[in-house]
Structures are given as C-alpha cells and as structure tokens.
Amino acid sequence: MTREYTIVTLPGDGIGPEVMRETTRVMEAVADACSLSLNLQRREAGASHYRDHGVALPDSVLQDCLDADAVILSAIGLPDVRKSDGTEVQPDMMVGLRRAMKLHSAVRPVRLYPGVESCLRTAEKGIDFIILRENLEGLFASYGGGCRVGDAVATDTMVITRQGSLDVCRYAFHLAEKRKGRPSDGKRIVTCVDKANIFRSLAFFREIFFEVAAEHPNIEAEATYVDAMSLYMVQNPSNYDVVVTENQFGDILSDLGAGIVGGLGMGPSAEVGEHHGLFQPSHGTAPQIADQNIANPMATILSASMMFDWLGDRHSDDDCFKAASLIEDAVISVLEAGSVRTADIGGSSSTTEVTDAILSALQS
Ligand code: ATP
C-alpha cells in the first residue's frame, strides 16, 4: 500500500509565499509522476503572523511540525517587524524550531549546476560539495543566554558536546558514503573544519571527528582550520566532498559557498535529526523583490528534492528517491537550456515562468 506523507509547508514572509507557491506546484506534479501520496498542510508562521497575532510560531503549528513526516519552509522575517527589545522574530523562531525538532545537522550543498556561471576562475574542474553545519550547539548554544556586565564586557560561550559532535560527524560520513566523491579526482573525503590550534572545545570536536573517521576506513578524512578553509574554498573548491564544522563556522562558510555557485537563489538546504527533517532555501526573505514574481524559486524547489531524498532514505522508499532525482534533473535541464532563468542568475524570466519550464521538463 502506498504510504501517505504529511508535509507541513510554511510560506512565511517576503518572497517566501511566492517561492512556496511554485514549489507546491512542483511537489504536486512530482507526486503524480511517482504515485506518491502527499498530504500538504499549509501553516502560517513568521514575522507577518507575529505582527497580526503577537506570536511567530503558534504552539499548534509547532506541534503540526513535530507530527509531520517533513517540514518545508521558505523564509521568515520582515525588517520592520520587531519584538519589544528591537530584535527580529526570525532567530527566535528558527532556533526554537531546531531545538524542538532536534535537528542536529544542517546540510548545505555547494554545487555549481551546468549553465550557471561561477564568479571563480578556479571553478573549471567543477564545484560539488556539502557543508555540514552542526546545528544545535557550538556558539549558538549561547542563543538566548550570553552574559553582559554593564557597559564593560559581554560573553557568549562555545559549547561542544560529545553527543552533538558524534551526531554531526556520523552524518557527514553517512553522506560521504552516498556521494560520488570530490570533483577533482573522485576521492571520497570528509574535511573537518575547526580552530583546534586555539580552542579546547574545537580540539575536542576534531578528536571526535577522527574517532568517527576510524569507523569509515574507505573514506579519507582530513582536518583544516577555518581561516585556511575560506581561502581553499576560493582557490581549490573542486577538492572538497563533505565538509563538517561547528555551527557558527558553518553559518559563515555556507554563505561563501552560495556565493561561488551563483548566489543565494541557487542554494537549497536540509536540517535533519534522528526523527525530523526541515527543508528550506539558504536565502532569506529578500523584501526588496517581494511580491514582484521575480524571485528565483530554484533554491526552494531543490530543497523539496532534498526532502524527498531524505524521506527515501528514512523510509527505504524508491518512489521518494525517484521524486528527488526527477526534480533535480528538471532543474538541471532548465539551467542547461539557458533561456528561462530569473535575474539573479542572468535572465529576465519571472518566478512563474521558471516553474512552468521546470514542470514541462518534469513531464517530458
Ligand atoms: P533576510 O533578512 O530575510 O535574510 P535579506 O534580503 O537580508 O533577507 P536574503 O533574502 O538572504 O537576505 O538575500 C540577500 C539578497 O540576495 C536579496 O536582497 C536578493 O537580492 C538576493 N536574493 C536572495 N534570495 C533570492 C532569490 N530567491 N531570488 C533572487 N534573488 C535573491
């Protein structure tokens, strides 16, 4: 019997509702093509919800996210919607969701698709790696805490636990097992990025990384410092396969990664734990281009592809794997054809036209 998947969709703010509308069309089409049964449940949360109702993430929506098979979110936050302390609602809501859903790993693919131009001259051997960001601790463990003593001093603390490091390092090797290796020579390799020469916490992270690496002798393991990594990502991006790192480092490096493969409109992401998965583009709400039907929907559509791949893994469901690759192949064929693309990657098509092209590639 076909399994039904309950997917909560959170359109959010800014360009979020537009790119979610298009992604929903793609999810529905691919479900038809793969005989998948999807129960899509649209829920309202985010900055506009906070403005209208005083709460960004209602308890009932959080519960629906916990009960669903997966959650897909587009973007949260509006610059002029602030809490009484002047901060935006986005960090509260996202850190809250990550903690409640125990999403220990954030998977950020850095892939230069055919037909997309990189700003790097060093891109000719191809760019296709994953930045795996530890998602619950590191410097973000301090979120909502931290300490300030008057006008004199303020601190936030880096927290690295054995369990958190094991979770993300194991997931890094799991991903490396599934991949085809780095573009430069096909070698399967996991790179630990840290600052183990300076901080005890990150030396501990590196130690645990090599413990996990020892359980995977078929995959090479190496470690490098985060400052050097930001240089290597520009000089030799084709040398990387899976990169695993602390939360804040991953946050910074993944924007650099998006920058070398066509920008934020091309960057999908997955946040996963033992029991839950949340999928979202790496871009934010881009309020300057909201409501104009010009945002690039590909990052969110590719996030849906990552969602189907994760569901396939989790439920050993070949139909989900098929849905994932159908979506990615359709996006690739539109990019390769070259004539339909949004302005951020050098075209002049609308959000809807890009989705129409993806849907017709999917059907053919
Ligand atoms: P937020 O505060 O929600 O992070 P932001 O505008 O500061 O919003 P992003 O939304 O991440 O940050 O985007 C930065 C810029 O990148 C945008 O102003 C926009 O020009 C571009 N951009 C981001 N996402 C897209 C997209 N999907 N399509 C086209 N351009 C995009």
Side-chain angles (χ1 to χ4, degrees), residues 1-299:
M1 209 183 82
T2 321
R3 190 183 192 290
E4 183 184 74
Y5 292 100
T6 300
I7 312 292
V8 167
T9 67
L10 300 174
D13 309 300
I15 59 171
E18 297 159 65
V19 294
M20 186 61 79
R21 179 190 68 218
E22 304 304 317
T23 302
T24 301
R25 293 172 66 205
V26 174
M27 289 191 289
E28 282 167 348
V30 87
D32 275 354
C34 300
S35 316
L36 274 174
S37 172
L38 291 189
N39 171 14
L40 296 175
Q41 298 187 349
R42 181 190 159 120
R43 295 287 180 268
E44 301 305 325
S48 33
H49 195 274
Y50 178 85
R51 183 190 54 214
D52 300 340
H53 305 282
V55 55
L57 180 64
D59 288 344
S60 61
V61 176
L62 175 60
Q63 191 56 51
D64 290 339
C65 293
L66 291 167
D67 293 342
D69 290 292
V71 177
I72 181 158
L73 176 157
S74 33
I76 300 296
L78 289 173
D80 53 343
V81 176
R82 308 241 163 194
K83 296 186 294 176
S84 53
D85 63 3
T87 61
E88 285 192 48
V89 302
Q90 190 266 2
D92 245 7
M93 173 166 159
M94 290 315 303
V95 174
L97 262 176
R98 284 172 188 148
R99 288 180 179 170
M101 296 173 77
K102 299 189 170 58
L103 305 170
H104 56 63
S105 298
V107 186
R108 307 268 170 90
V110 180
R111 179 167 181 198
L112 185 62
Y113 282 103
V116 179
E117 215 176 302
S118 171
C119 56
L120 297 182
R121 270 188 291 122
T122 51
E124 71 277 357
K125 283 195 202 142
I127 304 177
D128 186 357
F129 61 96
I130 283 177
I131 294 181
L132 188 63
R133 165 186 175 188
E134 195 293 317
N135 208 33
L136 291 174
E137 50 187 50
L139 201 51
F140 279 74
S142 262
Y143 182 75
C147 164
R148 176 166 166 170
V149 184
D151 269 343
V153 67
T155 62
D156 283 298
T157 310
M158 172 87 81
V159 177
I160 301 290
T161 68
R162 168 165 285 277
Q163 191 57 52
S165 308
L166 281 173
D167 287 341
V168 72
C169 291
R170 284 179 177 148
Y171 203 68
F173 284 89
H174 168 74
L175 290 176
E177 297 277 4
K178 287 180 42 162
R179 288 169 55 82
K180 296 193 197 79
R182 63 186 182 186
S184 58
D185 57 7
K187 188 188 280 180
R188 286 193 160 97
I189 181 164
V190 181
T191 307
C192 172
V193 173
D194 57 46
K195 195 70 183 165
N197 52 338
I198 305 288
F199 298 111
R200 281 187 180 164
S201 55
L202 295 171
F204 183 50
F205 185 82
R206 183 182 282 205
E207 206 177 292
I208 295 165
F209 167 79
F210 279 112
E211 280 175 32
V212 176
E215 295 163 10
H216 299 268
N218 56 325
I219 294 173
E220 196 147 317
E222 63 173 6
T224 192
Y225 302 131
V226 65
D227 42 346
M229 185 65 188
S230 49
L231 176 77
Y232 301 150
M233 273 175 65
V234 173
Q235 286 185 333
N236 286 313
S238 59
N239 268 356
Y240 297 98
D241 180 13
V242 177
V243 171
V244 61
T245 189
E246 180 273 331
N247 205 337
Q248 179 62 63
F249 293 167
D251 187 29
I252 297 168
L253 290 180
S254 49
D255 266 32
L256 172 58
I260 63 175
V261 294
L264 291 168
M266 292 305 305
S269 87
E271 299 186 34
V272 304
E274 300 311 312
H275 305 291
H276 301 287
L278 171 86
F279 301 82
Q280 61 170 329
S282 43
H283 61 73
T285 54
Q288 319 87 310
I289 58 166
D291 302 322
Q292 295 169 49
N293 200 28
I294 56 171
N296 188 348
M298 286 180 170

